[in-house]
Amino acid sequence: MKKINNIIIGLLLVAGITSCSDDYLDINTSPTNPSSENITPDLELAAALTLPNDNADINGRYSALSANANELGAVMMNNWAGDINNFAGGYSSEYRLDITTSFHATIWEHIYEGLATTQAIIDYDSENYDNHKAIARINKAFYFQYLVDLYGDIPYSEALQRQNNITPKYDNAKDIYRDLIVQLDMAIDEINSANNEDASVGSEDIVFQGDLSKWVQFANTLKLRILLRQSNLAQQDGETASYLTEQFASLDKNFLSEDAFVNPGYTNDAGKQNPFFEIFGEDSQGTPTQNKEFVGPSAYSAEFLKGNTTQDGVNTNVYDPRVIRLYEPLPADSPDNPGEVIGVVQGATDPVSPDYLSNLGEGIVNNSSQNLYLITEAESDFLQSEAAFRGYISGDAKTLFQNGIRASFNLLGAGDAENYISSSNSKNLIGWDGSANKIEAIMTQKWIALNGFNGIESWIEYTRTGFPNVPLPLIAQHPARPTRLLYPTSERSSNTANVPQQAQSDAFDTHIFWDVN
């Protein structure tokens, strides 16, 4: 309880000095509250790790990555669908691929808002908090990669300066990517060179509880992800190829071997629940939310996992036990399909929908105190598998691939993975030996493993690789998925002189620098 109280105090202190206006970069300092100079990094760290992904304002709770972006990616990649039997109009913009300046704009707005506290730690004028600053640098790099991956050129070098610069310039996306590696190397050096004069990290670290060796693993894994994102570009650009060769040669292969998650002490109290569960599960009184009753599997995802023929004719003939952890089977007394996971085709209408549909399962919607995942062990394994297959690092790509499946089973509580690995190994798309295209197999298994935990990563990886090639919604107004999001209306109005001009077509025609498909 002391840990939770300290975290709450830290959040309140941060809230007192970072009261945000409608402009996410315009942060006012109240003369009646403590100044930022009096708030040391140890008091801010818990808030810095929480706020970019779990914040609240007068309009209520929001979650930039674990709920909003996660949901967007799950819908874009044909994992989730809405219950059209009982709700009208759900996911209509996502199904139509109607990308506008208001489309999921809170991803941009809330990440930038939340990172202000992270930047305050980095900028703190003291040499005695290198460990805290290192964690803050890693946290900043983690979220800025997503901003680049979703938007391209963004404010970076002049961003997060609060009232000192509320109209920051835009930096080149590729240059930002290069600097993220520099910042991660700097963070690792700060941890490795810390001495007795540096403040130790304790319970304020709500990810690894002060275990700095795990932060080094996190940084190495994030570097691996950043570098691999440029692997297709390297096949066409000699300078990038040389850069990746140099970076991989010096990359520490000490990667995450466990799930990395945020949990400041979520409880079943109003305002203290895990935000994903609060949105897609139940309120503190146990009442199911509207999202819990609305969101469930797409027919494609459900049938693929059950080993049945999908709407585009894919059939692995292998039943995946993870399906009943990802999605809730219909009750035994259901008039139709009792005990089965039943989904709906994205964009279908009522007359062609099954009468009874499944919801999200206990593997991803479990309880109020569940974790907010940053990088899972499964994702770390699949990243290593791809890097080994491409020849960037040593290691057995097949073993790493199958370790990723095992980690996914463990995270979902889906039981022993060995029977599934054995029965799927010879099958195209899901097994190593049976898949002619190993990158497609890695991305397909990653698509399954990220479902419910980090759906936006699946969409970004699809943009990079083209896999898995899942069907578009029936009512899609474009022949392909968007390649990016548009700068939000709030940015256009508050940073007009700097924000690049965009048309709606740019969401489909303008690619992130690493996207050469």
Side-chain angles (χ1 to χ4, degrees), residues 61 266 272-278 367-368 370-372:
R61 196 84 169 275
Y266 294 122
K272 298 180 182 180
Q273 294 177 288
N274 170 289
F276 180 86
F277 185 83
E278 185 177 32
N367 59 66
S368 295
Q370 67 185 64
N371 304 316
L372 282 185

Side-chain angles (χ1 to χ4, degrees), residues 19-169:
S19 175
C20 298
S21 70
D22 289 339
D23 180 354
Y24 63 91
L25 289 171
D26 183 11
I27 299 176
N28 304 308
T29 301
S30 169
T32 62
N33 284 307
S35 66
S36 58
E37 290 79 8
N38 296 326
I39 301 178
T40 54
D42 56 317
L43 294 177
E44 292 188 297
L45 184 61
L49 296 172
T50 303
L51 293 176
N53 203 3
D54 176 11
N55 209 335
D57 56 22
I58 59 174
N59 297 313
R61 196 84 169 275
Y62 59 74
S63 176
L65 279 184
S66 64
N68 191 344
N70 187 10
E71 178 183 26
L72 172 60
V75 176
M76 281 289 181
M77 289 306 296
N78 213 326
N79 277 314
W80 294 2
D83 180 355
I84 59 175
N85 294 333
N86 299 295
F87 298 86
Y91 291 145
S92 58
S93 295
E94 289 85 354
Y95 289 167
R96 293 196 310 269
L97 305 182
D98 185 18
I99 313 301
T100 66
T101 57
S102 61
F103 184 83
H104 288 268
T106 53
I107 296 173
W108 170 287
E109 295 163 351
H110 293 161
I111 289 177
Y112 269 109
E113 280 184 8
L115 282 174
T117 305
T118 296
Q119 189 65 45
I121 293 176
I122 296 172
D123 294 340
Y124 188 78
D125 188 15
S126 172
E127 297 180 356
N128 297 329
Y129 288 95
D130 280 357
N131 290 324
H132 293 81
K133 291 185 176 186
I135 294 173
R137 289 187 198 279
I138 297 168
N139 192 56
K140 180 180 176 181
F142 174 82
Y143 287 101
F144 263 103
Q145 183 188 11
Y146 278 117
L147 289 170
V148 171
D149 289 344
L150 294 173
Y151 296 96
D153 296 350
I154 56 171
Y156 177 69
S157 61
E158 294 183 357
L160 308 176
Q161 295 182 20
R162 305 185 181 188
Q163 67 271 16
N164 294 326
N165 188 349
I166 62 173
T167 57
K169 72 174 184 178

Side-chain angles (χ1 to χ4, degrees), residues 91 94 131 137 145 187 230 237 243 261 289 312 333 396 424 432 462 512:
Y91 291 145
E94 289 85 354
N131 290 324
R137 289 187 198 279
Q145 183 188 11
Q230 303 169 74
D237 180 69
Y243 171 76
F261 55 82
T289 65
D312 61 351
D333 60 354
D396 185 80
S424 65
W432 187 262
Y462 166 81
I512 308 302

